[in-house]
Amino acid sequence: MLRYITYRSLVAVFLVWIVVTLVFLLLHLVPGDPAEVLLSQGSTAADPQAVANLRQRLGLDDPLWLQYAHHIGGILTGDLGTSFRDGAPVAGQIVQRLPRTLEVIVTAALIAVLFGVPAGTLAAVRAGGWIDNVISFLSSLALSTPVFVVGSVVILIFAQELRLVPAGGYVPFAVDPARHVLLLLMPAGTVALALWAVVARMSRGSVLDVLERDYVRTARAKGLKRRRILRRHVVRNAMIPVLTVLGLEMGTLIGGTVLVEFVFNWPGLSGYLVSAVDARDYPEVVGIVMVISILFVFLNLVVDIVYAVLDPRISLSR
């Protein structure tokens, strides 16, 4: 097991380095000069001399290999650089905003698992019946509805009509815990809807597959109760593909909650990334993408380790 974890960790480090390098190179291929973007005011072009001075101050005149070396050296020492826009440390902004995005994603994942796994299992046990058809219809509807439409409908119903929760915004948990939870529920619920559909569908398919295995048939032949068979023999083995999809989806959601954060005015990391790309702020973009890639790879590493725990054959094959 230790050898397997070490191998997967080294692969994860290599993948993060590849992502950081690709993002750094691609940003320098994107048309547009960060110095001109920062100095331009509306339709008024920036003064060429001022642009040249700013490029020199920001280090944009250095050779590309030297900029890359400085960037990698900063990452290794924990320094993600300073923003071109306001000179603020990028790491500080990420540390401030990342927990807000993770709050939404983790809460959404908990909701999706708590409701998706039982729904998928129930649909598999009642395969072909009306319960299965209803769950399949609801999951299809959830997957086909854009997240901004779901968010708008949620605001219309729960905030405008029923007035049960605020329409959006953010309040730190330390300031007002109750209001913080209320403001968190709507964006998390919006994200959870599509994730619930994915988990429910994967759970249904996986449970159906496991129910046809020989050891399940043997357990039935021994006279074990259906609930015990499901709990001890079916659900645990059926969770392996579900965990894979959940890990991948959570990693995708880290950088994919832009619309949700915009609709609910939630100041997370995704909105910060969009504004950084628009401003051609290289340190911010590379820093944010690096953190997102680290989290994505870490989630997949956790999934691999859980795989090995659930099925020791995976670790033994390495």
Side-chain angles (χ1 to χ4, degrees), residues 261-292:
E261 291 182 358
F262 177 78
V263 170
F264 293 100
N265 195 25
W266 189 266
L269 193 63
S270 298
Y272 182 42
L273 175 60
V274 172
S275 64
V277 171
D278 185 58
R280 303 293 193 278
D281 198 321
Y282 296 157
E284 286 185 343
V285 174
V286 176
I288 296 169
V289 172
M290 185 195 70
V291 170
I292 291 175

Side-chain angles (χ1 to χ4, degrees), residues 13-89:
V13 172
F14 176 73
L15 288 176
V16 171
W17 173 73
I18 291 293
V19 170
V20 171
T21 302
L22 288 176
V23 171
F24 179 86
L25 295 175
L26 289 174
L27 277 175
H28 284 77
L29 294 176
V30 174
D33 188 342
E36 291 185 4
V37 173
L38 291 172
L39 294 176
S40 298
Q41 298 179 354
S43 59
T44 304
D47 179 62
Q49 185 59 44
V51 171
N53 293 337
L54 183 58
R55 285 184 57 85
Q56 183 177 10
R57 183 166 63 86
L58 296 177
L60 296 175
D61 286 336
D62 294 337
L64 188 60
W65 67 267
L66 184 59
Q67 295 184 47
Y68 177 74
H70 287 161
H71 183 70
I72 294 297
I75 291 176
L76 294 177
T77 58
D79 181 12
L80 300 181
T82 57
S83 170
F84 286 171
R85 293 181 287 179
D86 53 17

Side-chain angles (χ1 to χ4, degrees), residues 27 30 36 70 90 107 111 114-115 125 138 143 165 174 206 216 219 260 282 293 298 303:
L27 277 175
V30 174
E36 291 185 4
H70 287 161
V90 174
T107 305
I111 295 173
L114 287 175
F115 291 95
V125 172
L138 291 177
L143 284 173
V165 292
S206 186
V216 175
V260 173
Y282 296 157
S293 64
F298 174 75
V303 170

Side-chain angles (χ1 to χ4, degrees), residues 198-232:
V198 173
V199 172
R201 286 191 164 195
M202 284 300 303
S203 299
R204 179 186 182 277
S206 186
V207 169
L208 281 175
D209 179 64
V210 174
L211 284 173
E212 298 299 322
R213 302 288 176 86
D214 291 338
Y215 59 83
V216 175
R217 294 173 180 170
T218 302
R220 288 173 179 167
K222 289 181 177 181
L224 294 179
K225 294 182 179 179
R226 175 182 292 183
R227 182 175 299 179
R228 186 177 182 184
I229 294 174
L230 286 173
R231 185 176 66 252
R232 296 192 59 180

